[in-house]
């Protein structure tokens, strides 16, 4: 018999069938499983149809976010972009634009650390380093035309070997976007501007975006200055061959406000941490990236894509101590270089839709850990020369074996190496943990098309993720011990679709229920003696289960000029230890048991819109012992504006009740001791009452 925490999962299974039974009654016509509504009138529509087709061929949860939906609100971080994607827990506010991301329970320990668990890509090419870390990665959500979020094992389409899946950001081109200028600003000294210009000349096109952001922060010592350039140029070499070159550069300087104890948070949640101002903690990252992607249309039923990417990332990061002479301090000053290669071959062969792919990446981290005083680098303490490589080879067949049925089966082979080489300068002592990680990860799924725009899906898949270089550096036993890779099995069922409601109204939904048993999950806790550093270990057995639901509608009122459009994203999480000798069946920290995000918008045919937004977040734990609980919170906001063909303006208010709440938190092993709980500086405040406005013009 299932224990009571899992009963909500069973209750949701029954809802899945009811969604599609309703849709089947409303839709009289049945189309082939891969049919996507719409005609490819231009390159923008063609891209969207291709992405929707991939979504329809995936027997699991995949969400598509369009840039047009982001223009009606203040969007700064990936967390803002992913606001309504169920199953993704994001927390912002640590810096001007950083986002903690956890997908289906990934990365539930290393808040603001290596950011592993989700593979980030731009145009199918990796941004995530070869070892799986996203430590310094920044992706501007407004620089993307679309984002595809494939959760968990559903990222096999991209070859990703992670617990949380993958996010692919699709760049705009001069053929898919207008020239435009935008300006936004508001509370906390926020000013953000961007201009995009491009041209098409026969078979050649080019697009350039220049972006600038200034931010004072809502906490002490939280100022940010960021400037970026994004560019791409394409050449239609022939009717069947297209090549595109990408370039981006970002200079992002941020002050770190740090974490607070509970007493400090209660006294003033927006003060900086005790040492953060005195030690001048910073996270300054300079990144440039080039990529190239070529697509060959080999025949009417097959195509080949080959891509390369190269990224160099410089980090200057005083993060521990440095408030005065003596004592332990840490400043990380290194360069991370990542080379990536992707090959994808698609072939439609009768009733089979075959995908073959390969991802290969190499990452080098060179630099050192230094002492510092007030953020000024002092002596070299540890020389760092780390490297990693990772190869993912994957194959998948989507077999339409009957009119409404598609069988999806495939597998992934992964092999990679991790090598840490840290030399202590004072003694010459060398720490050199290194290991090779290999796995074969099969997947089996099925899709049943209930009606022309709705389907049921299910899959059983193996999960796998090797440790990052950062995790190996901090392995709890020290010496040259390494970590095991995380792996497990996940089962998932769900439904997605669109169905009419009366003559001029419709509703849409995405619902998924999953249950995963994980072995050797890698968890870390922050060192109480040195905040900003951590200890990492494998945990024998854990469970990751949950329910993800996104429901929206568009209701026509009166003559059709007025519409009410509600949107609700709901996530229920059940992440626990599984009969652990120390922690039994305790909850894993960081992620709340449930969170709800939604809005209800009124829209007029003239482009005017207005309506409330809301967030409801449950309590969370900050330790494995489940003795330190962080309160949940409720937020209320409001958005209004006007959208027209050539321009747009918006006004947004957030946290209108000015609630003081915890957005980010760090993890400790056991805070049951009253003194340890009192002294634990692990809490970071979320955004107080804020107002933002923005305007965009096409030209």
């Amino acid at each position: 018999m299932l224990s009571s925490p899992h009963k909500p999962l069973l209750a949701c299974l029954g809802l899945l069938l009811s969604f599609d039974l309703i849709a089947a009654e409303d839709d009289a016509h049945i189309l082939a499983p891969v049919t996507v509504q719409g005609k490819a009138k231009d390159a923008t529509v063609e891209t969207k149809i291709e992405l929707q087709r991939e979504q329809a061929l995936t027997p699991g949860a995949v969400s598509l976010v369009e840039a047009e939906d982001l223009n009606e609100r203040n969007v700064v971080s990936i967390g803002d972009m992913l606001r309504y994607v169920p199953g993704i827990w994001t927390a912002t506010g640590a810096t001007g634009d950083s986002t903690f991301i956890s997908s289906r329970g990934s990365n539930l320990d290393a808040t603001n650390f290596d950011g592993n668990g989700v593979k980030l890509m731009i145009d199918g090419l990796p941004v995530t380093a070869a070892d799986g870390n996203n430590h310094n990665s920044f992706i501007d959500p407004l620089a993307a035309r679309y984002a595809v979020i494939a959760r968990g094992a559903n990222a096999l389409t991209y070859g990703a070997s992670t617990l949380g899946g993958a996010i692919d950001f699709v760049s705009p081109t001069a053929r898919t976007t207008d020239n435009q200028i935008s300006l936004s600003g508001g509370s906390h000294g926020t000013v953000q501007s961007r201009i995009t210009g491009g041209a098409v000349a026969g078979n050649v096109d080019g697009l350039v975006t220049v972006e600038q952001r200034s931010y004072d922060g809502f906490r002490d010592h939280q100022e940010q200055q960021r400037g970026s350039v994004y560019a791409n140029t394409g050449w239609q070499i022939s009717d069947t061959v297209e090549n595109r070159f990408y370039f981006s550069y970002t200079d992002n300087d941020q002050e770190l406000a740090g974490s607070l104890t509970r007493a400090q948070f209660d006294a003033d949640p927006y003060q900086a941490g005790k040492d953060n101002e005195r030690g001048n903690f910073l996270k300054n990252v300079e990144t440039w990236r080039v990529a190239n992607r070529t697509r060959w249309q080999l025949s009417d039923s097959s195509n080949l894509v080959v891509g390369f990417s190269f990224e160099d990332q410089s980090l200057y990061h005083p993060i521990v101590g440095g408030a005065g002479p003596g004592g332990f301090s840490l400043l990380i000053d290194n360069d991370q270089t990542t080379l990536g290669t992707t090959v994808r071959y698609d072939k439609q062969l009768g009733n089979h839709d075959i995908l073959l792919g390969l991802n290969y990446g190499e990452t080098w981290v060179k630099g050192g850990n230094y002492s510092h005083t007030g953020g000024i680098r002092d002596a070299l303490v540890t020389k760092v020369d780390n490297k990693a490589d990772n190869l993912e080879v994957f194959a998948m067949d989507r077999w339409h074996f009957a009119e409404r049925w598609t069988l999806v089966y495939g597998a992934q082979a992964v092999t990679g190496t991790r090598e840490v080489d840290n030399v202590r300068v004072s003694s010459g002592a060398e720490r050199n943990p290194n290991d090779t990680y290999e796995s074969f990860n099969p997947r089996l799924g099925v899709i049943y098309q209930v009606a022309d725009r709705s389907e049921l899906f299910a899959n059983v898949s193996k999960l796998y993720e090797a440790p990052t270089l950062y995790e190996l550096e901090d392995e709890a036993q020290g010496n040259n011990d390494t970590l095991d890779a995380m792996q497990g099995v996940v089962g998932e069922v769900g439904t997605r679709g669109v169905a009419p409601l009366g003559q001029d109204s419709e509703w849409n939904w995405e619902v998924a229920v999953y249950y995963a048993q994980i072995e050797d999950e890698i968890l870390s806790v922050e060192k109480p003696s040195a905040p900003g550093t951590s200890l990492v270990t494998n945990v024998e057995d854990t469970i990751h289960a949950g329910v993800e639901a996104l429901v929206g509608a568009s209701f026509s009122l009166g003559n059709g000029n007025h519409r009410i459009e509600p949107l609700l994203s709901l996530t229920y999480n059940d992440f626990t230890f599984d009969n652990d000798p120390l922690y039994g069946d305790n909850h894993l920290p960081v992620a709340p048991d449930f969170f709800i995000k939604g809005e209800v918008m009124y829209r007029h045919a003239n482009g005017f819109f207005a309506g409330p937004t809301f967030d409801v977040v449950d309590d969370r734990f900050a330790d494995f012992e489940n003795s330190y609980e962080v309160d949940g919170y409720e937020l209320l906001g409001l958005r209004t504006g006007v959208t027209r063909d050539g321009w747009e303006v918006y006004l947004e208010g957030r946290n209108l009740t000015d609630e003081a709440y915890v957005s980010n938190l760090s993890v400790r092993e056991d805070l049951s001791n009253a003194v340890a709980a009192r002294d634990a500086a692990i809490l970071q405040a979320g955004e107080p009452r804020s107002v933002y406005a923005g305007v965009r013009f096409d030209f």
Side-chain angles (χ1 to χ4, degrees):
M1 179 177 293
L2 288 175
S3 60
S4 58
H6 304 300
K7 288 183 179 178
L9 300 179
L10 287 176
C12 289
L13 291 175
L15 292 178
L16 300 180
L17 286 175
S18 63
F19 275 113
D20 284 283
L21 289 174
I22 294 171
E25 293 174 358
D26 289 333
D27 289 306
H29 304 289
I30 303 297
L31 301 182
V34 298
T35 298
V36 178
Q37 300 299 305
K39 296 182 179 180
K41 296 180 180 180
D42 53 33
T44 303
V45 176
E46 289 177 0
T47 301
K48 184 175 180 179
I49 286 177
E50 184 176 343
L51 295 175
Q52 289 177 325
R53 180 178 179 275
E54 282 293 338
Q55 181 186 43
L57 287 172
T58 303
V62 177
S63 298
L64 177 63
V65 176
E66 296 188 55
E68 290 181 357
D69 297 334
L70 307 180
N71 292 328
E72 296 181 352
R73 52 191 172 96
N74 190 57
V75 173
V76 173
S77 66
I78 295 178
D80 294 324
M81 175 184 242
L82 302 179
R83 171 175 170 80
Y84 294 118
V85 178
I88 305 285
W89 168 247
T90 63
T92 58
T95 64
D97 55 31
S98 69
T99 301
F100 167 72
I101 301 177
S102 175
S103 175
R104 294 192 168 182
S106 66
N107 194 31
L108 287 184
D109 55 339
T111 306
N112 295 327
F113 192 52
D114 65 351
N116 64 297
V118 176
K119 185 169 186 174
L120 303 179
M121 298 175 289
I122 298 178
D123 300 298
L125 294 165
V127 173
T128 298
D131 67 331
N133 90 78
N134 293 305
H135 184 221
N136 311 320
S137 298
F138 166 74
I139 295 179
D140 183 353
L142 296 180
R145 184 66 184 85
Y146 298 98
V148 182
I149 302 94
R151 300 189 286 283
N154 300 303
L156 178 61
T157 304
Y158 299 97
S161 54
T162 59
L163 293 189
I167 304 175
D168 186 26
F169 298 85
V170 181
S171 299
T173 71
R175 299 180 186 274
T176 64
T177 194
D178 295 320
N179 296 338
Q180 59 184 234
I181 184 170
S182 63
L183 177 67
S184 61
S187 300
H188 323 304
T190 301
V191 179
Q192 187 164 331
S193 59
R194 63 196 308 123
I195 183 170
T196 297
V200 178
N203 293 336
V204 179
D205 65 84
L207 186 74
V208 178
T209 296
V210 179
E211 177 262 356
Q212 180 69 39
R213 171 174 162 81
S214 298
Y215 178 67
D216 293 337
F218 58 84
R219 296 183 60 192
D220 297 335
H221 199 67
Q222 202 183 28
E223 184 178 342
Q224 177 193 21
Q225 296 292 328
R226 186 187 77 208
S228 303
V229 178
Y230 314 105
N232 68 77
T233 181
W235 176 25
Q236 189 72 43
I237 300 172
S238 69
D239 291 341
T240 59
V241 181
E242 179 188 13
N243 178 267
R244 188 163 297 276
F245 174 82
Y246 305 87
F247 170 81
S248 64
Y249 171 82
T250 298
D251 188 6
N252 196 4
D253 294 345
Q254 303 183 90
E255 296 177 337
L256 302 179
S259 301
L260 304 175
T261 66
R262 182 160 275 169
Q264 290 171 332
F265 186 91
D266 291 341
D268 178 7
Y270 308 118
Q271 64 179 302
K274 181 178 66 174
D275 292 331
N276 286 63
E277 280 190 288
R278 293 184 299 169
N280 194 25
F281 293 179
L282 307 170
K283 187 176 182 181
N284 297 343
V285 182
E286 186 177 14
T287 305
W288 65 271
R289 180 179 185 269
V290 294
N292 189 272
R293 186 174 183 268
T294 302
R295 177 170 180 165
W296 286 269
Q297 190 71 38
L298 302 178
S299 68
D300 291 340
S301 61
S302 63
N303 67 78
L304 175 68
V305 175
V306 178
F308 304 91
S309 62
F310 180 88
E311 179 175 293
D312 184 75
Q313 197 180 83
S314 297
L315 172 68
Y316 186 87
H317 189 26
I319 186 58
V320 179
F328 174 73
S329 64
L330 172 63
L331 183 152
I332 303 171
D333 188 353
N334 64 36
D335 286 319
Q336 177 177 283
T337 303
T338 298
L339 173 68
T341 302
T342 295
V343 180
R344 288 173 63 93
Y345 172 75
D346 291 278
K347 174 69 175 179
Q348 292 185 9
L349 189 63
N351 292 330
H352 296 267
D353 194 320
I354 299 169
L355 171 64
L356 306 176
L358 176 151
N359 299 325
Y360 179 73
E362 292 188 23
T363 293
W364 303 266
V365 181
K366 295 181 181 293
N369 297 338
Y370 296 78
S371 61
H372 74 100
T373 304
I376 305 300
R377 193 180 72 182
D378 292 332
L380 176 64
V381 177
T382 303
K383 183 180 178 181
V384 175
D385 187 5
N386 302 338
K387 57 185 177 182
D389 62 64
N390 208 64
L391 173 65
E392 299 162 330
V393 179
F394 55 99
M396 185 163 49
D397 180 19
R398 285 73 66 99
W399 176 24
H400 313 302
F401 65 91
E403 182 180 2
R404 300 184 184 184
W405 293 88
T406 302
L407 183 67
V408 181
Y409 55 96
Q412 172 199 66
V414 182
T415 180
T417 62
R418 310 286 188 268
E419 183 174 351
V420 170
D421 189 0
N422 292 356
V423 179
R424 189 82 174 177
V425 173
S426 60
S427 63
E430 181 177 12
R431 188 159 180 266
N432 183 222
N434 64 90
D435 212 337
T436 298
Y437 298 90
E438 297 178 340
S439 182
F440 179 77
N441 310 316
R443 173 173 169 83
L444 178 65
V446 65
I447 301 170
Y448 175 72
Q449 185 128 8
V450 179
D452 63 346
R453 293 187 295 170
S454 64
E455 59 187 21
L456 291 165
F457 55 78
N459 76 82
V460 177
S461 309
K462 182 180 177 182
L463 296 167
Y464 182 82
E465 182 178 337
T468 68
L469 292 170
Y470 289 97
E471 290 170 331
L472 288 183
E473 281 184 322
D474 295 329
E475 198 279 330
Q477 300 302 318
N479 302 316
N480 290 325
D481 291 343
T482 60
L483 295 162
D484 294 328
M486 300 179 279
Q487 55 187 318
V489 176
V490 60
E492 177 182 4
V493 297
T495 176
R496 55 178 162 253
V498 180
L501 287 172
Q503 186 172 359
D504 297 317
S505 303
E506 68 176 20
W507 69 302
N508 61 84
W509 68 90
E510 298 177 17
V511 181
V513 181
Y514 68 93
Y515 185 92
Q517 294 182 318
I518 310 295
E519 296 178 2
D520 297 318
E521 182 166 0
I522 298 173
L523 296 176
S524 67
V525 296
E526 193 175 71
K527 294 180 185 177
S529 59
T533 60
S534 61
L535 297 172
V536 184
T537 190
N538 288 111
V539 175
E540 187 172 347
D541 294 305
T542 54
I543 291 173
H544 290 215
V547 181
E548 305 163 348
L550 177 67
V551 181
S554 181
F555 299 105
S556 177
L557 304 177
N559 59 7
N561 288 330
H562 309 272
R563 306 191 75 85
I564 298 294
E565 297 187 350
L567 182 65
L568 182 69
S569 174
L570 183 149
T571 300
Y572 168 77
N573 296 319
D574 187 13
F575 307 144
T576 65
F577 293 94
D578 187 16
N579 198 28
D580 187 84
L582 287 177
Y583 306 115
D585 295 330
N586 283 0
H587 289 272
L588 294 176
V590 178
D593 280 353
F594 72 85
F595 56 94
I596 302 169
K597 298 183 180 183
E599 65 181 33
V600 181
M601 288 293 134
Y602 163 79
R603 297 186 183 275
H604 191 275
N606 65 10
F608 174 78
F609 63 89
T613 64
F614 54 89
D615 299 54
V616 180
V617 177
D618 194 23
D619 299 344
R620 293 161 283 168
F621 291 107
D623 66 341
F624 297 156
E625 191 66 32
N626 289 181
S627 62
Y628 191 113
E629 193 167 14
V630 177
D631 291 338
Y633 55 89
E634 297 83 33
L635 305 178
L636 179 66
L638 180 68
R639 293 198 293 117
T640 186
V642 178
T643 299
R644 296 290 178 84
D645 287 340
W647 60 274
E648 188 166 38
V649 61
Y650 73 83
L651 178 67
E652 180 179 11
R654 296 183 177 181
N655 192 7
L656 297 180
T657 60
D658 202 25
E659 179 171 353
Y661 66 98
V662 174
S663 176
N664 282 315
L665 58 91
S666 301
V667 177
R668 298 289 173 84
E669 184 175 2
D670 182 1
L671 290 173
S672 58
N673 180 277
V675 175
R678 181 197 66 194
D679 296 337
I682 58 176
L683 307 177
Q684 297 190 30
E687 188 176 29
R689 182 187 295 120
S690 308
V691 178
Y692 301 99
V695 61
R696 175 185 59 83
F697 293 99
D698 296 341
F699 64 93

